[in-house]
Amino acid sequence: MLKCSYLVGLFFLFLLASCSNANKGTIVTENGISLKFHDLSSTDISLFENCILNVNLLARDKKDKVVFSSKYQGLFGVSSFYYDSLLVNSPLHYVFEKTFTGDSLSFKVLRSTFYSSFFGSNDLLHNSSLKEDDTLGITLRIVGFNSYEEQGSFTTSLIRKAIEEERVIVQDKQLEWKDKYVNIYENNGLYAIKLASSNIINNPEDSVSQFMALNYTLEDFSGRLVYTTNDKSEYYDLSLNNQLLGGFNILARKYERGDSIMAIIPSNLLFGKRGSFVNQIPPYCPLKVNLKIN
């Protein structure tokens, strides 16, 4: 009886160890890509013809620099791709045919493979520090394989979540500013305060007065620097329409040359529902701006 109980105990230990190892199992695809699975789905929803692929996708180079992120370049952290001939005929097809909705995994591929598979170009988002034969580390979670009909309602849901998230974080930041600062300038959801002024003297008859030089940084509300002009100014002609994004146009016409301004700007006055793919600014992303007008 004791021997039988001992054997049963060993069986359950073996079963537990097997389940534990399954979550960390490795599969090698037919074309030699080694897939390390971190979480295995409990569903059987898999790839099908002409579907739309929804993923949380992160790609890093050898120096651990993010070269693509669904968090920063997707809609509410999700990147969507039509599973057309581009992906079907790519090396990554062998990766996706091994996965199910809910799977989480990581693997390595060449930079050229990554860009050509998802974007059809090795030159997209070109970074001179990277070479085509550089290896990228990919972390991937399968959000879902949807039909066109399913994708419509899925995208609508993501948009609503992104809009609501922006509303909450902007509102929280506005309340924080009201507690910390005085003389806040408000305009269409934009909040701004003047930090300093160097009292530049302008000649109103000078034809150069229609031009404005801006130095600025853009940060998201987590403090991530998404863009900076560094020491180089960007020049704009105020007599021309649509040269400046809405938020910058408001600030440029409210403040004067020599002013340094800090502002929080909602997405509808910046990159809106499109975001900025190259600058890794997602749709519906409000930003903090530090601006010097020269």
Side-chain angles (χ1 to χ4, degrees):
M1 186 69 179
L2 288 174
K3 185 176 181 180
C4 181
S5 299
Y6 176 76
L7 291 175
V8 171
L10 283 179
F11 172 78
F12 279 110
L13 284 174
F14 175 78
L15 184 62
L16 181 63
S18 299
C19 291
S20 176
N21 288 334
N23 282 346
K24 298 181 180 180
T26 299
I27 295 176
V28 179
T29 65
E30 293 178 29
N31 60 340
I33 300 176
S34 182
L35 309 179
K36 181 178 180 181
F37 283 81
H38 307 288
D39 291 298
L40 294 176
S41 172
S42 59
T43 75
D44 60 356
I45 304 173
S46 60
L47 185 69
F48 58 91
E49 186 177 357
N50 295 322
C51 69
I52 297 175
L53 172 67
N54 295 289
V55 292
N56 294 128
L57 178 62
L58 175 65
R60 296 179 182 269
D61 65 17
K62 293 179 180 179
K63 297 181 178 179
D64 209 34
K65 179 181 177 182
V66 174
V67 298
F68 180 89
S69 169
S70 295
K71 180 178 180 180
Y72 303 136
Q73 291 157 294
L75 176 57
F76 202 67
V78 177
S79 297
S80 301
F81 302 94
Y82 289 103
Y83 210 86
D84 55 12
S85 58
L86 190 65
L87 274 168
V88 169
N89 297 319
S90 78
L92 294 187
H93 172 72
Y94 295 95
V95 172
F96 292 113
E97 71 173 2
K98 299 290 186 182
T99 62
F100 295 87
T101 294
D103 281 349
S104 176
L105 62 150
S106 59
F107 55 94
K108 294 183 178 180
V109 292
L110 296 179
R111 171 185 176 270
S112 56
T113 297
F114 175 77
Y115 285 129
S116 61
S117 297
F118 284 112
F119 308 108
S121 171
N122 295 337
D123 298 323
L124 186 65
L125 303 179
H126 178 69
N127 185 327
S128 59
S129 67
L130 295 174
K131 298 179 180 179
E132 287 192 5
D133 59 354
D134 279 343
T135 300
L136 298 181
I138 310 298
T139 302
L140 177 70
R141 185 173 73 84
I142 307 296
V143 177
F145 303 102
N146 288 345
S147 66
Y148 290 161
E149 293 77 13
E150 293 168 331
Q151 189 67 19
S153 58
F154 178 74
T155 300
T156 299
S157 174
L158 291 181
I159 290 172
R160 287 174 179 168
K161 290 177 180 178
I163 291 173
E164 176 61 16
E165 180 179 70
E166 178 184 13
R167 185 192 67 79
V168 170
I169 63 176
V170 168
Q171 185 179 67
D172 288 346
K173 185 62 69 173
Q174 290 172 340
L175 291 173
E176 178 186 323
W177 272 40
K178 287 180 178 179
D179 289 338
K180 291 173 61 176
Y181 305 116
V182 295
N183 299 324
I184 298 174
Y185 171 66
E186 301 180 33
N187 188 322
N188 197 25
L190 175 152
Y191 275 37
I193 55 172
K194 182 164 70 173
L195 301 175
S197 179
S198 59
N199 297 319
I200 293 177
I201 299 176
N202 298 309
N203 180 357
E205 296 182 358
D206 190 345
S207 61
V208 180
S209 63
Q210 73 185 61
F211 295 96
M212 180 170 286
L214 304 179
N215 293 85
Y216 61 93
T217 61
L218 297 176
E219 297 179 0
D220 66 18
F221 281 20
S222 69
R224 178 179 65 101
L225 179 66
V226 297
Y227 183 80
T228 178
T229 58
N230 291 312
D231 296 327
K232 296 181 179 179
S233 299
E234 293 184 358
Y235 293 88
Y236 298 93
D237 186 344
L238 296 180
S239 67
L240 300 178
N241 294 324
N242 301 320
Q243 275 216 320
L244 289 170
L245 294 170
F248 278 90
N249 187 54
I250 290 172
L251 295 175
R253 296 185 184 280
K254 165 64 179 177
Y255 295 98
E256 300 177 348
R257 286 176 175 80
D259 288 346
S260 294
I261 305 112
M262 180 170 65
I264 50 177
I265 307 180
S267 66
N268 66 300
L269 296 176
L270 289 171
F271 299 95
K273 63 183 179 181
R274 295 177 63 90
S276 175
F277 188 83
V278 172
N279 291 316
Q280 297 189 349
I281 301 172
Y284 306 104
C285 179
L287 295 172
K288 175 188 171 186
V289 177
N290 284 285
L291 172 67
K292 175 68 181 296
I293 302 176
N294 298 306

